[in-house]
Amino acid sequence: RDVERSRGLGDVYKRQELWRAREMSRSRLIRHCRALMIKQYKRRNAPKAIMQDAESVMDRDILTIVFARRFAAYKRANLLLKDPERFETIIASKTNPVQFIFAGKAHPKDNEGKELIKRLVQFARRPKVRHRIAFLEDYDIRIARHLVQGADVWLNTPRRPFEACGTSGIKAAANGVLNVSILDGWWCEGYSEERGWRIGDGEEYTDTAYQDTVESQALYNVLENEVIPCFYERKNGDAPDQWIKMMKESMKMAMLQFCARIMVDNYEKKFYLPVAKRFAYLTADNAKEAVILSAQHKRLSSQWGKIRIERPVRKIEGPFRVGDSFEVTAVVNLGELDPGEVEVELYYGNLKTVDSIADSQSEKMTVKENRGNGECLYECTITCGASGRYGFTVRVIPRGDDRIKFVPGLITWA
């Protein structure tokens, strides 16, 4: 019992120590933020009263959310401003207050990005929020260093699917910062409810204005209902246990899944070593295999244009139920190529619209009859894994290794 009790106390001390480190990092960030705000006002020759006011912006004890990145339109720095009154209410809460730090730059010719900054600065002048929202100019690696260490939450709101990666969130996670993000870029792989929050469910929209409206409401909801209550859930004034658990999971995730060592290991195992082995195989015995491969490539390229596929035929009309099966046949003229040099596949799936397929799959077809002069009848049977109407077509690709299979132009569709 004594051992178990000592272990329990040890866990408590560790949690408290981690939380103290989080509070110290946040305090350093607030000090740095105040110093930068004063510099910004000095450059504009602001009155003394405003300079003194800048010395008290932000609070070192409340939830601090950071949005720091390029102010490109698709990154949607204005998503929080879709409902300014609701955003103001979130910030100015007397029981669970929140403060926001924005940092970033827009390209000199990106007028839309500059307009986003202008709107944020104008909003930050509102009397109820002016001490709890700041915009830091000249965002660079020095400012980023303080932000990724001192933030409680790293906010990322790109318009899916345009985010390439968003690696600033990984750096923040390694410092125990929790991510709140659209499921795009690295957060598609990194997200788990044990270590952060998602905005929406990864949907993609054709109407961007509607997308912004829907996801702004999702952002307000996740802040009000999940993030803020989790941060302020304190028992007897202690540190927030659930928040600290998520911090630990966030740090483990960043260091185990997204560190440079893992990246290099993956490149080595998935690419460099297989390529080295393949090179040795192709160049052995006076490059015998490379010569064969080159000849195969030349033959396929010269004869591929002669391939013709007639309209595929299904024996039974749909719609189908789960477990039903149907047979499809297609006449394929390969010209001077042999059936052993190609693969004929049925491409199929449930009809989404008249001319598009949802959840597409492919099935290899086999030669039912070789009619001579390059003409073959191919067939295959499909067992339905879902009910509904099915659409399908047939394609021909080369048979061989990945290099041959995916040579541009060597594919023919019915």
Side-chain angles (χ1 to χ4, degrees), residues 136-149:
L136 304 183
E137 301 173 356
D138 295 329
Y139 177 53
D140 59 15
I141 195 169
R142 293 172 299 167
I143 296 176
R145 173 172 165 264
H146 288 86
L147 295 175
V148 298
Q149 291 176 3

Side-chain angles (χ1 to χ4, degrees), residues 37-304:
M37 293 290 289
I38 292 170
K39 284 184 179 180
Q40 291 173 193
Y41 285 128
K42 275 185 178 179
R43 285 199 297 268
R44 302 191 186 102
N45 294 313
K48 184 178 179 180
I50 293 179
M51 299 283 286
Q52 291 175 339
D53 198 41
E55 294 175 358
S56 61
V57 297
M58 318 303 284
D59 188 319
R60 64 189 73 216
D61 295 320
I62 70 176
L63 175 61
T64 303
I65 299 176
V66 169
F67 181 98
R69 49 191 33 87
R70 286 187 302 116
F71 270 68
Y74 81 90
K75 291 183 179 289
R76 299 189 298 182
N78 64 329
L79 203 62
L80 283 164
L81 298 179
K82 286 293 180 181
D83 188 341
E85 277 61 47
R86 189 174 179 184
F87 186 31
E88 182 177 294
T89 301
I90 291 173
I91 295 174
S93 170
K94 293 183 179 179
T95 55
N96 296 331
V98 185
Q99 59 193 8
F100 285 80
I101 300 175
F102 292 87
K105 295 178 180 177
H107 189 277
K109 294 185 179 180
D110 184 1
N111 293 326
E112 191 172 358
K114 289 187 284 188
E115 183 63 28
L116 295 179
I117 295 175
K118 180 181 177 181
R119 287 188 59 196
L120 278 170
V121 172
Q122 289 174 341
F123 178 84
R125 291 172 180 163
R126 290 191 175 198
K128 289 185 179 181
V129 303
R130 63 191 183 91
H131 285 94
R132 290 185 182 165
I133 186 168
F135 181 84
L136 304 183
E137 301 173 356
D138 295 329
Y139 177 53
D140 59 15
I141 195 169
R142 293 172 299 167
I143 296 176
R145 173 172 165 264
H146 288 86
L147 295 175
V148 298
Q149 291 176 3
D152 295 305
V153 169
W154 198 261
L155 181 62
N156 190 25
T157 56
R159 184 178 291 121
R160 181 181 167 92
F162 296 107
E163 184 69 282
C165 186
T167 51
S168 61
I170 301 175
K171 293 190 281 285
N175 284 275
V177 180
L178 303 186
N179 277 268
V180 175
S181 177
I182 297 290
L183 288 174
D184 200 7
W186 80 279
W187 195 232
C188 287
E189 301 173 49
Y191 166 74
S192 169
E193 62 183 12
E194 292 85 20
R195 53 187 178 232
W197 293 273
R198 65 185 181 186
I199 304 167
D201 296 313
E203 308 94 340
E204 295 176 15
Y205 303 81
T206 54
D207 186 338
T208 56
Y210 177 73
Q211 180 177 3
D212 292 353
T213 300
V214 169
E215 291 180 342
S216 68
Q217 296 303 311
L219 174 55
Y220 294 136
N221 290 339
V222 77
L223 290 176
E224 292 172 337
N225 302 330
E226 299 180 51
V227 179
I228 298 172
C230 184
F231 183 84
Y232 286 106
E233 186 181 3
R234 316 287 174 92
K235 294 180 180 179
N236 302 319
D238 291 338
D241 285 341
Q242 180 58 30
W243 191 277
I244 294 171
K245 288 178 183 177
M246 295 179 73
M247 286 174 60
K248 292 179 179 179
E249 291 300 319
S250 182
M251 288 187 285
K252 285 192 289 186
M253 172 268 297
M255 290 184 281
L256 292 176
Q257 293 180 228
F258 294 95
C259 69
R261 181 181 62 80
I262 294 296
M263 177 187 69
V264 173
D265 284 348
N266 286 337
Y267 270 108
E268 180 185 33
K269 293 172 183 175
K270 293 181 179 180
F271 303 106
Y272 298 150
L273 289 179
V275 166
K277 291 178 181 178
R278 182 66 172 161
F279 177 79
Y281 171 75
L282 291 174
T283 55
D285 195 13
N286 292 321
K288 177 182 176 181
E289 292 298 327
V291 171
I292 294 173
L293 193 64
S294 176
Q296 181 187 11
H297 181 216
K298 289 179 181 178
R299 172 171 164 77
L300 288 169
S301 297
S302 64
Q303 300 297 323
W304 200 262

Side-chain angles (χ1 to χ4, degrees), residues 2-16:
D2 290 340
V3 171
E4 290 177 356
R5 189 179 296 112
S6 65
R7 286 177 178 171
L9 288 172
D11 290 339
V12 171
Y13 292 144
K14 287 178 182 178
R15 290 199 301 273
Q16 291 176 345

